[in-house]
Amino acid sequence: MKKNLKKVFFCKKCVISNQKVLPSQPLEDDSAHSNKEKLSFKDGVCFACLEVEKKYNQHIDWGKRETELKVLLEKYRSRNGSYDCLVPGSGGKDSVWQAHVLKTKYGMNPLTVTFSPHIYTDVGMQNFHNWPLRGGVPNFLYTPNGKIHGKLTSLAFKNLLHPFQPFILGQRHFSSHMAKMFDIKLIFHGESQAEAGGQVDELGKSDMLLRYWSRSKNQNIKIAGYNLQELKEFGISENDLKYYLPLDVDEIIKKDIKLLYLGHWERCEPQENYYLATKITNFKPNDLRTESTFSKYSGIDDRVDPFHFYTAYVKFGYGRCSEDASKEIRNQYITRDEGVKLVHKYDHEFPKRYFKDFLEYTNIKEEEFYETLDSFRSPLLWEKTGNDYRYCNNWKLKHSVE
């Protein structure tokens, strides 16, 4: 970590701690996460809260921004019926909102693209199919070689305690490959990643900075903690990794491809997006509450997804509920006191529902799973409370939000 913080404290407005890591270029990640920055604070308030506050308290002229977006889109609008913008997503509430707004409000012709989850949940598969079926948008689905993806996920878990890293790479970079293939200049995400915590130079920006989704010539690339040459020893070729890897920065600039946040021009609000998606695509929430949190409608398409959040909980001391509750507080759906109670109730919960699926997919024994978790626990964050290791019952956080 670039910031080696010795004291844990929590935001005064939400429930996230100063251990929160910021987005980075995953191609540079190592077991020490030396490429990652920690969330910054001002007068006890985290930068994520300060960024989201702008939507509500700083009198943004949304009419002016809408006009700015119209001018931008007119420059790139298709005149012959070809696709003129691209929306990556899974058919979840936010990607449905993005494609719908671009098509119906702004008259664009979006192509949607999907980098497949590791193992679809039933509701995730249903929502994905309903996106093009009911949402009236075309979709390209890319499903990577399951053996390769499973091996990368396993290696990333063992080396980085970050089983989601290979998927994040594919999810982020596949869209730019498709933009290149179809000669599309505009890629749209929803809200800025800075709304969950960003570095100073990306606050308030309408586009994702190139360092997050491009690569330079001769860059030392690592996936799951291994460089491309080392991955060949596991039977993984560079061709297998094509859509996990970003385009060269020079190529992105030459082709004038931009990755933009629609939420800069249109107010992106999670619950409103959910209600819209239920009407547009018959979007369905989970049949049960998502483990480790209180939500039923966010991040529900992948059986490996819960272990992305749980491994972050082990490494950094904040779990899925801390993330979800902080987002709900920032968007003024719940109070901080309500968020604190939810974190105390759910943040520590072990994701049992798809545990067997995860172990089988990654070819990891249950004992090895717990041993790997424990090897990444920081003594700053954790204390051992017994020998009942199953479902991590033998560990307790030293610090909790109050």
Side-chain angles (χ1 to χ4, degrees):
M1 288 291 179
K2 293 185 178 180
K3 289 183 181 179
N4 188 18
L5 302 175
K6 299 298 184 182
K7 181 181 179 182
V8 178
F9 63 87
F10 297 85
C11 177
K12 293 179 179 179
K13 289 204 168 185
C14 71
V15 291
I16 208 68
S17 82
N18 65 330
Q19 302 300 303
K20 164 75 175 175
V21 293
L22 302 182
S24 64
Q25 172 49 279
L27 293 172
E28 301 171 351
D29 207 3
D30 54 33
S31 59
H33 303 298
S34 59
N35 64 314
K36 292 185 180 293
E37 296 277 0
K38 292 285 185 72
L39 182 63
S40 295
F41 288 71
K42 181 179 180 181
D43 299 327
V45 179
C46 74
F47 272 27
C49 281
L50 295 174
E51 188 72 0
V52 177
E53 270 184 14
K54 296 175 184 177
K55 296 197 293 189
Y56 299 100
N57 300 333
Q58 293 196 359
H59 308 293
I60 291 175
D61 188 340
W62 291 105
K64 180 180 178 181
R65 289 200 175 182
E66 180 179 326
T67 300
E68 292 172 354
L69 180 57
K70 287 178 178 178
V71 171
L72 172 68
L73 295 178
E74 194 60 32
K75 178 181 177 182
Y76 295 96
R77 188 183 308 280
S78 169
R79 311 299 177 188
N80 61 5
S82 60
Y83 304 123
D84 49 21
C85 61
L86 190 147
V87 176
S90 64
K93 58 183 176 55
D94 295 326
S95 51
V96 168
W97 170 77
Q98 291 156 226
H100 179 74
V101 167
L102 287 165
K103 180 179 180 178
T104 61
K105 182 173 181 177
Y106 292 99
M108 298 296 283
N109 189 19
L111 173 67
T112 69
V113 299
T114 302
F115 189 92
S116 173
H118 304 78
I119 313 171
Y120 266 109
T121 61
D122 291 342
V123 70
M125 179 62 78
Q126 179 184 359
N127 286 332
F128 166 70
H129 281 302
N130 278 342
W131 192 17
L133 180 66
R134 297 173 180 270
V137 289
N139 177 272
F140 272 87
L141 169 68
Y142 176 71
T143 304
N145 179 326
K147 298 291 186 182
I148 298 295
H149 201 47
K151 172 60 71 174
L152 289 171
T153 304
S154 180
L155 292 172
F157 173 79
K158 294 174 184 177
N159 294 332
L160 310 175
L161 202 65
H162 191 359
F164 230 50
Q165 189 225 31
F167 172 76
I168 290 172
L169 289 169
Q171 184 185 50
R172 181 176 296 181
H173 299 140
F174 174 59
S175 59
S176 55
H177 284 276
M178 294 296 286
K180 174 187 173 183
M181 185 183 302
F182 284 91
D183 195 27
I184 297 171
K185 309 300 184 184
L186 304 180
I187 303 171
F188 279 97
H189 285 200
E191 75 273 19
S192 167
Q193 62 183 15
E195 291 194 16
Q199 297 185 36
V200 173
D201 62 347
E202 62 183 311
L203 300 179
K205 292 290 182 65
S206 60
D207 62 318
M208 181 180 284
L209 301 181
L210 278 168
R211 66 171 179 257
Y212 294 119
W213 60 290
S214 67
R215 64 171 172 175
S216 57
K217 290 181 179 179
N218 303 318
Q219 181 176 345
N220 182 27
I221 293 172
K222 289 185 177 182
I223 299 180
Y226 293 97
N227 63 41
L228 301 185
Q229 187 63 36
E230 291 170 331
L231 285 172
K232 291 179 181 179
E233 299 175 14
F234 297 96
I236 302 172
S237 70
E238 190 163 347
N239 185 63
D240 292 324
L241 300 171
K242 178 177 180 179
Y243 294 124
Y244 295 86
L245 301 176
L247 298 177
D248 289 340
V249 63
D250 292 340
E251 186 172 22
I252 290 173
I253 294 172
K254 181 180 179 181
K255 291 188 173 295
D256 191 29
I257 300 173
K258 306 177 187 299
L259 200 164
L260 305 173
Y261 298 120
L262 184 59
H264 179 79
W265 295 281
E266 291 278 337
R267 192 150 72 183
C268 181
E269 299 171 293
Q271 287 192 14
E272 281 68 20
N273 292 354
Y274 165 69
Y275 296 132
L276 177 70
T278 60
K279 296 176 181 178
I280 301 299
T281 65
N282 197 29
F283 175 83
K284 299 294 185 184
N286 219 342
D287 56 337
L288 299 172
R289 175 184 58 81
T290 301
E291 291 169 305
S292 306
T293 192
F294 54 90
S295 170
K296 294 178 68 175
Y297 63 66
S298 180
I300 59 175
D301 59 342
D302 194 340
R303 298 185 186 201
V304 173
D305 186 71
F307 299 93
H308 167 52
F309 289 95
Y310 195 79
T311 51
Y313 176 62
V314 169
K315 283 187 294 185
F316 308 121
Y318 61 88
R320 187 168 195 161
C321 189
S322 290
E323 295 270 25
D324 288 350
S326 293
K327 181 177 283 191
E328 297 280 297
I329 293 167
R330 293 170 195 143
N331 283 286
Q332 304 179 1
Y333 297 134
I334 63 174
T335 66
R336 188 179 188 277
D337 286 343
E338 290 171 328
V340 169
K341 292 176 182 177
L342 289 168
V343 169
H344 290 173
K345 187 173 183 178
Y346 295 123
D347 225 28
H348 64 280
E349 184 178 31
F350 187 90
K352 299 178 184 177
R353 185 178 187 183
Y354 298 124
F355 187 33
K356 182 178 179 181
D357 294 303
F358 178 81
L359 295 177
E360 290 179 353
Y361 184 74
T362 55
N363 194 28
I364 293 173
K365 301 293 185 183
E366 186 171 355
E367 293 76 11
E368 183 183 8
F369 174 86
Y370 296 121
E371 290 171 0
T372 303
L373 290 185
D374 292 351
S375 71
F376 281 87
R377 291 185 192 272
S378 166
L380 172 68
L381 303 175
W382 294 98
E383 60 179 338
K384 200 166 186 179
T385 58
N387 297 314
D388 183 12
Y389 66 86
R390 196 133 195 254
Y391 305 136
C392 301
N393 287 322
N394 58 334
W395 290 95
K396 181 182 178 181
L397 275 178
K398 292 181 178 180
H399 313 276
S400 59
V401 63
E402 301 296 340

PDB file of all heavy atoms in Angstrom, residues 331-356:
ATOM      1  N   ASN A 331     -26.593   8.726  -0.920  1.00  0.00           N
ATOM      2  CA  ASN A 331     -27.727   9.047  -1.785  1.00  0.00           C
ATOM      3  C   ASN A 331     -28.993   9.360  -0.993  1.00  0.00           C
ATOM      4  O   ASN A 331     -30.087   9.414  -1.561  1.00  0.00           O
ATOM      5  CB  ASN A 331     -27.977   7.900  -2.764  1.00  0.00           C
ATOM      6  CG  ASN A 331     -26.974   7.892  -3.904  1.00  0.00           C
ATOM      7  OD1 ASN A 331     -27.046   8.716  -4.814  1.00  0.00           O
ATOM      8  ND2 ASN A 331     -26.022   6.965  -3.851  1.00  0.00           N
ATOM      9  N   GLN A 332     -28.838   9.519   0.332  1.00  0.00           N
ATOM     10  CA  GLN A 332     -29.899  10.024   1.207  1.00  0.00           C
ATOM     11  C   GLN A 332     -31.095   9.076   1.336  1.00  0.00           C
ATOM     12  O   GLN A 332     -32.223   9.503   1.565  1.00  0.00           O
ATOM     13  CB  GLN A 332     -30.355  11.410   0.725  1.00  0.00           C
ATOM     14  CG  GLN A 332     -29.233  12.418   0.629  1.00  0.00           C
ATOM     15  CD  GLN A 332     -29.654  13.788   0.132  1.00  0.00           C
ATOM     16  OE1 GLN A 332     -30.828  14.025  -0.136  1.00  0.00           O
ATOM     17  NE2 GLN A 332     -28.710  14.701   0.005  1.00  0.00           N
ATOM     18  N   TYR A 333     -30.828   7.771   1.228  1.00  0.00           N
ATOM     19  CA  TYR A 333     -31.889   6.780   1.402  1.00  0.00           C
ATOM     20  C   TYR A 333     -32.005   6.334   2.855  1.00  0.00           C
ATOM     21  O   TYR A 333     -33.093   5.967   3.311  1.00  0.00           O
ATOM     22  CB  TYR A 333     -31.642   5.558   0.521  1.00  0.00           C
ATOM     23  CG  TYR A 333     -31.656   5.848  -0.961  1.00  0.00           C
ATOM     24  CD1 TYR A 333     -30.668   5.336  -1.795  1.00  0.00           C
ATOM     25  CD2 TYR A 333     -32.657   6.625  -1.543  1.00  0.00           C
ATOM     26  CE1 TYR A 333     -30.674   5.586  -3.161  1.00  0.00           C
ATOM     27  CE2 TYR A 333     -32.668   6.890  -2.905  1.00  0.00           C
ATOM     28  CZ  TYR A 333     -31.674   6.365  -3.705  1.00  0.00           C
ATOM     29  OH  TYR A 333     -31.674   6.622  -5.059  1.00  0.00           O
ATOM     30  N   ILE A 334     -30.872   6.312   3.572  1.00  0.00           N
ATOM     31  CA  ILE A 334     -30.881   5.928   4.977  1.00  0.00           C
ATOM     32  C   ILE A 334     -29.994   6.909   5.743  1.00  0.00           C
ATOM     33  O   ILE A 334     -29.188   7.630   5.158  1.00  0.00           O
ATOM     34  CB  ILE A 334     -30.375   4.484   5.209  1.00  0.00           C
ATOM     35  CG1 ILE A 334     -28.905   4.342   4.779  1.00  0.00           C
ATOM     36  CG2 ILE A 334     -31.251   3.478   4.475  1.00  0.00           C
ATOM     37  CD1 ILE A 334     -28.295   2.978   5.103  1.00  0.00           C
ATOM     38  N   THR A 335     -30.138   6.917   7.073  1.00  0.00           N
ATOM     39  CA  THR A 335     -29.304   7.762   7.920  1.00  0.00           C
ATOM     40  C   THR A 335     -28.018   7.015   8.287  1.00  0.00           C
ATOM     41  O   THR A 335     -27.916   5.795   8.126  1.00  0.00           O
ATOM     42  CB  THR A 335     -30.033   8.140   9.208  1.00  0.00           C
ATOM     43  OG1 THR A 335     -30.237   6.949  10.000  1.00  0.00           O
ATOM     44  CG2 THR A 335     -31.381   8.782   8.898  1.00  0.00           C
ATOM     45  N   ARG A 336     -27.062   7.751   8.824  1.00  0.00           N
ATOM     46  CA  ARG A 336     -25.819   7.099   9.246  1.00  0.00           C
ATOM     47  C   ARG A 336     -26.089   6.127  10.394  1.00  0.00           C
ATOM     48  O   ARG A 336     -25.505   5.033  10.438  1.00  0.00           O
ATOM     49  CB  ARG A 336     -24.779   8.137   9.686  1.00  0.00           C
ATOM     50  CG  ARG A 336     -23.404   7.511   9.953  1.00  0.00           C
ATOM     51  CD  ARG A 336     -22.370   8.555  10.364  1.00  0.00           C
ATOM     52  NE  ARG A 336     -21.039   7.965  10.425  1.00  0.00           N
ATOM     53  CZ  ARG A 336     -20.564   7.297  11.473  1.00  0.00           C
ATOM     54  NH1 ARG A 336     -21.333   7.126  12.552  1.00  0.00           N
ATOM     55  NH2 ARG A 336     -19.332   6.791  11.456  1.00  0.00           N
ATOM     56  N   ASP A 337     -26.961   6.491  11.325  1.00  0.00           N
ATOM     57  CA  ASP A 337     -27.285   5.581  12.433  1.00  0.00           C
ATOM     58  C   ASP A 337     -27.860   4.269  11.909  1.00  0.00           C
ATOM     59  O   ASP A 337     -27.517   3.185  12.411  1.00  0.00           O
ATOM     60  CB  ASP A 337     -28.278   6.234  13.394  1.00  0.00           C
ATOM     61  CG  ASP A 337     -27.637   7.312  14.261  1.00  0.00           C
ATOM     62  OD1 ASP A 337     -26.393   7.336  14.346  1.00  0.00           O
ATOM     63  OD2 ASP A 337     -28.383   8.129  14.851  1.00  0.00           O
ATOM     64  N   GLU A 338     -28.717   4.356  10.919  1.00  0.00           N
ATOM     65  CA  GLU A 338     -29.263   3.136  10.317  1.00  0.00           C
ATOM     66  C   GLU A 338     -28.155   2.330   9.637  1.00  0.00           C
ATOM     67  O   GLU A 338     -28.123   1.097   9.729  1.00  0.00           O
ATOM     68  CB  GLU A 338     -30.349   3.504   9.304  1.00  0.00           C
ATOM     69  CG  GLU A 338     -31.624   4.039   9.933  1.00  0.00           C
ATOM     70  CD  GLU A 338     -32.600   4.610   8.913  1.00  0.00           C
ATOM     71  OE1 GLU A 338     -32.143   5.159   7.884  1.00  0.00           O
ATOM     72  OE2 GLU A 338     -33.825   4.523   9.156  1.00  0.00           O
ATOM     73  N   GLY A 339     -27.234   3.033   8.984  1.00  0.00           N
ATOM     74  CA  GLY A 339     -26.117   2.359   8.340  1.00  0.00           C
ATOM     75  C   GLY A 339     -25.229   1.629   9.331  1.00  0.00           C
ATOM     76  O   GLY A 339     -24.784   0.500   9.076  1.00  0.00           O
ATOM     77  N   VAL A 340     -24.958   2.254  10.473  1.00  0.00           N
ATOM     78  CA  VAL A 340     -24.134   1.629  11.513  1.00  0.00           C
ATOM     79  C   VAL A 340     -24.780   0.326  11.983  1.00  0.00           C
ATOM     80  O   VAL A 340     -24.108  -0.708  12.130  1.00  0.00           O
ATOM     81  CB  VAL A 340     -23.925   2.603  12.695  1.00  0.00           C
ATOM     82  CG1 VAL A 340     -23.305   1.871  13.881  1.00  0.00           C
ATOM     83  CG2 VAL A 340     -23.036   3.767  12.273  1.00  0.00           C
ATOM     84  N   LYS A 341     -26.078   0.352  12.225  1.00  0.00           N
ATOM     85  CA  LYS A 341     -26.781  -0.852  12.680  1.00  0.00           C
ATOM     86  C   LYS A 341     -26.721  -1.965  11.636  1.00  0.00           C
ATOM     87  O   LYS A 341     -26.548  -3.138  11.970  1.00  0.00           O
ATOM     88  CB  LYS A 341     -28.235  -0.509  13.018  1.00  0.00           C
ATOM     89  CG  LYS A 341     -28.387   0.386  14.241  1.00  0.00           C
ATOM     90  CD  LYS A 341     -29.849   0.782  14.471  1.00  0.00           C
ATOM     91  CE  LYS A 341     -29.968   1.720  15.668  1.00  0.00           C
ATOM     92  NZ  LYS A 341     -31.371   2.170  15.879  1.00  0.00           N
ATOM     93  N   LEU A 342     -26.858  -1.601  10.367  1.00  0.00           N
ATOM     94  CA  LEU A 342     -26.784  -2.601   9.303  1.00  0.00           C
ATOM     95  C   LEU A 342     -25.394  -3.222   9.223  1.00  0.00           C
ATOM     96  O   LEU A 342     -25.257  -4.444   9.048  1.00  0.00           O
ATOM     97  CB  LEU A 342     -27.156  -1.956   7.964  1.00  0.00           C
ATOM     98  CG  LEU A 342     -28.629  -1.585   7.785  1.00  0.00           C
ATOM     99  CD1 LEU A 342     -28.808  -0.700   6.553  1.00  0.00           C
ATOM    100  CD2 LEU A 342     -29.501  -2.833   7.658  1.00  0.00           C
ATOM    101  N   VAL A 343     -24.360  -2.397   9.349  1.00  0.00           N
ATOM    102  CA  VAL A 343     -22.986  -2.906   9.308  1.00  0.00           C
ATOM    103  C   VAL A 343     -22.744  -3.885  10.452  1.00  0.00           C
ATOM    104  O   VAL A 343     -22.156  -4.961  10.261  1.00  0.00           O
ATOM    105  CB  VAL A 343     -21.972  -1.745   9.348  1.00  0.00           C
ATOM    106  CG1 VAL A 343     -20.557  -2.268   9.577  1.00  0.00           C
ATOM    107  CG2 VAL A 343     -22.023  -0.956   8.050  1.00  0.00           C
ATOM    108  N   HIS A 344     -23.178  -3.524  11.648  1.00  0.00           N
ATOM    109  CA  HIS A 344     -23.002  -4.417  12.795  1.00  0.00           C
ATOM    110  C   HIS A 344     -23.735  -5.744  12.590  1.00  0.00           C
ATOM    111  O   HIS A 344     -23.272  -6.794  13.054  1.00  0.00           O
ATOM    112  CB  HIS A 344     -23.523  -3.746  14.066  1.00  0.00           C
ATOM    113  CG  HIS A 344     -22.665  -2.609  14.522  1.00  0.00           C
ATOM    114  ND1 HIS A 344     -23.021  -1.774  15.567  1.00  0.00           N
ATOM    115  CD2 HIS A 344     -21.463  -2.150  14.093  1.00  0.00           C
ATOM    116  CE1 HIS A 344     -22.082  -0.858  15.747  1.00  0.00           C
ATOM    117  NE2 HIS A 344     -21.130  -1.067  14.854  1.00  0.00           N
ATOM    118  N   LYS A 345     -24.840  -5.698  11.878  1.00  0.00           N
ATOM    119  CA  LYS A 345     -25.651  -6.900  11.697  1.00  0.00           C
ATOM    120  C   LYS A 345     -25.141  -7.806  10.582  1.00  0.00           C
ATOM    121  O   LYS A 345     -25.202  -9.042  10.698  1.00  0.00           O
ATOM    122  CB  LYS A 345     -27.100  -6.489  11.412  1.00  0.00           C
ATOM    123  CG  LYS A 345     -28.084  -7.651  11.358  1.00  0.00           C
ATOM    124  CD  LYS A 345     -29.516  -7.143  11.247  1.00  0.00           C
ATOM    125  CE  LYS A 345     -30.512  -8.295  11.278  1.00  0.00           C
ATOM    126  NZ  LYS A 345     -31.926  -7.806  11.206  1.00  0.00           N
ATOM    127  N   TYR A 346     -24.622  -7.217   9.490  1.00  0.00           N
ATOM    128  CA  TYR A 346     -24.372  -8.013   8.289  1.00  0.00           C
ATOM    129  C   TYR A 346     -22.928  -8.053   7.786  1.00  0.00           C
ATOM    130  O   TYR A 346     -22.565  -8.964   7.041  1.00  0.00           O
ATOM    131  CB  TYR A 346     -25.247  -7.492   7.135  1.00  0.00           C
ATOM    132  CG  TYR A 346     -26.725  -7.652   7.355  1.00  0.00           C
ATOM    133  CD1 TYR A 346     -27.574  -6.532   7.321  1.00  0.00           C
ATOM    134  CD2 TYR A 346     -27.294  -8.901   7.594  1.00  0.00           C
ATOM    135  CE1 TYR A 346     -28.940  -6.663   7.507  1.00  0.00           C
ATOM    136  CE2 TYR A 346     -28.658  -9.043   7.793  1.00  0.00           C
ATOM    137  CZ  TYR A 346     -29.472  -7.928   7.734  1.00  0.00           C
ATOM    138  OH  TYR A 346     -30.822  -8.059   7.922  1.00  0.00           O
ATOM    139  N   ASP A 347     -22.097  -7.076   8.129  1.00  0.00           N
ATOM    140  CA  ASP A 347     -20.788  -6.968   7.477  1.00  0.00           C
ATOM    141  C   ASP A 347     -19.933  -8.226   7.651  1.00  0.00           C
ATOM    142  O   ASP A 347     -19.190  -8.622   6.753  1.00  0.00           O
ATOM    143  CB  ASP A 347     -20.019  -5.761   8.032  1.00  0.00           C
ATOM    144  CG  ASP A 347     -19.354  -4.939   6.944  1.00  0.00           C
ATOM    145  OD1 ASP A 347     -19.850  -4.926   5.814  1.00  0.00           O
ATOM    146  OD2 ASP A 347     -18.334  -4.275   7.237  1.00  0.00           O
ATOM    147  N   HIS A 348     -20.042  -8.868   8.802  1.00  0.00           N
ATOM    148  CA  HIS A 348     -19.201 -10.020   9.125  1.00  0.00           C
ATOM    149  C   HIS A 348     -19.734 -11.333   8.563  1.00  0.00           C
ATOM    150  O   HIS A 348     -19.051 -12.361   8.625  1.00  0.00           O
ATOM    151  CB  HIS A 348     -19.102 -10.154  10.648  1.00  0.00           C
ATOM    152  CG  HIS A 348     -20.434 -10.461  11.281  1.00  0.00           C
ATOM    153  ND1 HIS A 348     -21.378  -9.479  11.513  1.00  0.00           N
ATOM    154  CD2 HIS A 348     -20.994 -11.632  11.696  1.00  0.00           C
ATOM    155  CE1 HIS A 348     -22.450 -10.021  12.061  1.00  0.00           C
ATOM    156  NE2 HIS A 348     -22.253 -11.328  12.178  1.00  0.00           N
ATOM    157  N   GLU A 349     -20.937 -11.319   8.008  1.00  0.00           N
ATOM    158  CA  GLU A 349     -21.606 -12.558   7.613  1.00  0.00           C
ATOM    159  C   GLU A 349     -20.839 -13.292   6.508  1.00  0.00           C
ATOM    160  O   GLU A 349     -20.501 -12.719   5.476  1.00  0.00           O
ATOM    161  CB  GLU A 349     -23.024 -12.232   7.124  1.00  0.00           C
ATOM    162  CG  GLU A 349     -23.850 -13.458   6.781  1.00  0.00           C
ATOM    163  CD  GLU A 349     -25.258 -13.093   6.341  1.00  0.00           C
ATOM    164  OE1 GLU A 349     -25.436 -12.007   5.740  1.00  0.00           O
ATOM    165  OE2 GLU A 349     -26.181 -13.894   6.603  1.00  0.00           O
ATOM    166  N   PHE A 350     -20.571 -14.563   6.730  1.00  0.00           N
ATOM    167  CA  PHE A 350     -19.846 -15.366   5.737  1.00  0.00           C
ATOM    168  C   PHE A 350     -20.799 -15.769   4.616  1.00  0.00           C
ATOM    169  O   PHE A 350     -21.930 -16.207   4.867  1.00  0.00           O
ATOM    170  CB  PHE A 350     -19.266 -16.616   6.398  1.00  0.00           C
ATOM    171  CG  PHE A 350     -18.366 -17.404   5.494  1.00  0.00           C
ATOM    172  CD1 PHE A 350     -17.009 -17.138   5.438  1.00  0.00           C
ATOM    173  CD2 PHE A 350     -18.871 -18.415   4.684  1.00  0.00           C
ATOM    174  CE1 PHE A 350     -16.169 -17.862   4.604  1.00  0.00           C
ATOM    175  CE2 PHE A 350     -18.041 -19.142   3.840  1.00  0.00           C
ATOM    176  CZ  PHE A 350     -16.691 -18.863   3.802  1.00  0.00           C
ATOM    177  N   PRO A 351     -20.369 -15.658   3.345  1.00  0.00           N
ATOM    178  CA  PRO A 351     -21.252 -16.009   2.217  1.00  0.00           C
ATOM    179  C   PRO A 351     -21.300 -17.520   1.964  1.00  0.00           C
ATOM    180  O   PRO A 351     -20.552 -18.065   1.150  1.00  0.00           O
ATOM    181  CB  PRO A 351     -20.605 -15.258   1.036  1.00  0.00           C
ATOM    182  CG  PRO A 351     -19.154 -15.168   1.391  1.00  0.00           C
ATOM    183  CD  PRO A 351     -19.103 -15.048   2.892  1.00  0.00           C
ATOM    184  N   LYS A 352     -22.200 -18.189   2.640  1.00  0.00           N
ATOM    185  CA  LYS A 352     -22.276 -19.652   2.571  1.00  0.00           C
ATOM    186  C   LYS A 352     -22.987 -20.169   1.318  1.00  0.00           C
ATOM    187  O   LYS A 352     -22.730 -21.286   0.863  1.00  0.00           O
ATOM    188  CB  LYS A 352     -23.018 -20.190   3.801  1.00  0.00           C
ATOM    189  CG  LYS A 352     -22.355 -19.875   5.137  1.00  0.00           C
ATOM    190  CD  LYS A 352     -23.205 -20.401   6.284  1.00  0.00           C
ATOM    191  CE  LYS A 352     -22.631 -20.023   7.640  1.00  0.00           C
ATOM    192  NZ  LYS A 352     -23.511 -20.496   8.751  1.00  0.00           N
ATOM    193  N   ARG A 353     -23.892 -19.376   0.760  1.00  0.00           N
ATOM    194  CA  ARG A 353     -24.803 -19.889  -0.268  1.00  0.00           C
ATOM    195  C   ARG A 353     -24.056 -20.473  -1.463  1.00  0.00           C
ATOM    196  O   ARG A 353     -24.425 -21.546  -1.959  1.00  0.00           O
ATOM    197  CB  ARG A 353     -25.750 -18.770  -0.719  1.00  0.00           C
ATOM    198  CG  ARG A 353     -26.811 -19.246  -1.703  1.00  0.00           C
ATOM    199  CD  ARG A 353     -27.760 -18.115  -2.076  1.00  0.00           C
ATOM    200  NE  ARG A 353     -28.864 -18.613  -2.886  1.00  0.00           N
ATOM    201  CZ  ARG A 353     -29.820 -17.838  -3.412  1.00  0.00           C
ATOM    202  NH1 ARG A 353     -29.804 -16.531  -3.194  1.00  0.00           N
ATOM    203  NH2 ARG A 353     -30.796 -18.359  -4.135  1.00  0.00           N
ATOM    204  N   TYR A 354     -23.027 -19.786  -1.916  1.00  0.00           N
ATOM    205  CA  TYR A 354     -22.292 -20.243  -3.099  1.00  0.00           C
ATOM    206  C   TYR A 354     -20.859 -20.667  -2.759  1.00  0.00           C
ATOM    207  O   TYR A 354     -19.999 -20.716  -3.642  1.00  0.00           O
ATOM    208  CB  TYR A 354     -22.263 -19.140  -4.161  1.00  0.00           C
ATOM    209  CG  TYR A 354     -23.634 -18.739  -4.666  1.00  0.00           C
ATOM    210  CD1 TYR A 354     -24.061 -17.411  -4.610  1.00  0.00           C
ATOM    211  CD2 TYR A 354     -24.510 -19.693  -5.196  1.00  0.00           C
ATOM    212  CE1 TYR A 354     -25.322 -17.043  -5.076  1.00  0.00           C
ATOM    213  CE2 TYR A 354     -25.769 -19.334  -5.651  1.00  0.00           C
ATOM    214  CZ  TYR A 354     -26.165 -18.004  -5.587  1.00  0.00           C
ATOM    215  OH  TYR A 354     -27.407 -17.643  -6.044  1.00  0.00           O
ATOM    216  N   PHE A 355     -20.625 -20.985  -1.499  1.00  0.00           N
ATOM    217  CA  PHE A 355     -19.274 -21.359  -1.063  1.00  0.00           C
ATOM    218  C   PHE A 355     -18.789 -22.613  -1.786  1.00  0.00           C
ATOM    219  O   PHE A 355     -17.659 -22.662  -2.292  1.00  0.00           O
ATOM    220  CB  PHE A 355     -19.264 -21.560   0.454  1.00  0.00           C
ATOM    221  CG  PHE A 355     -17.899 -21.773   1.043  1.00  0.00           C
ATOM    222  CD1 PHE A 355     -16.774 -21.154   0.515  1.00  0.00           C
ATOM    223  CD2 PHE A 355     -17.730 -22.601   2.154  1.00  0.00           C
ATOM    224  CE1 PHE A 355     -15.510 -21.342   1.072  1.00  0.00           C
ATOM    225  CE2 PHE A 355     -16.479 -22.800   2.714  1.00  0.00           C
ATOM    226  CZ  PHE A 355     -15.368 -22.171   2.166  1.00  0.00           C
ATOM    227  N   LYS A 356     -19.610 -23.622  -1.862  1.00  0.00           N
ATOM    228  CA  LYS A 356     -19.229 -24.863  -2.543  1.00  0.00           C
ATOM    229  C   LYS A 356     -18.944 -24.596  -4.016  1.00  0.00           C
ATOM    230  O   LYS A 356     -17.976 -25.135  -4.577  1.00  0.00           O
ATOM    231  CB  LYS A 356     -20.344 -25.908  -2.401  1.00  0.00           C
ATOM    232  CG  LYS A 356     -20.007 -27.256  -3.038  1.00  0.00           C
ATOM    233  CD  LYS A 356     -21.128 -28.267  -2.838  1.00  0.00           C
ATOM    234  CE  LYS A 356     -20.791 -29.591  -3.505  1.00  0.00           C
ATOM    235  NZ  LYS A 356     -21.903 -30.572  -3.340  1.00  0.00           N
TER     236      LYS A 356
END
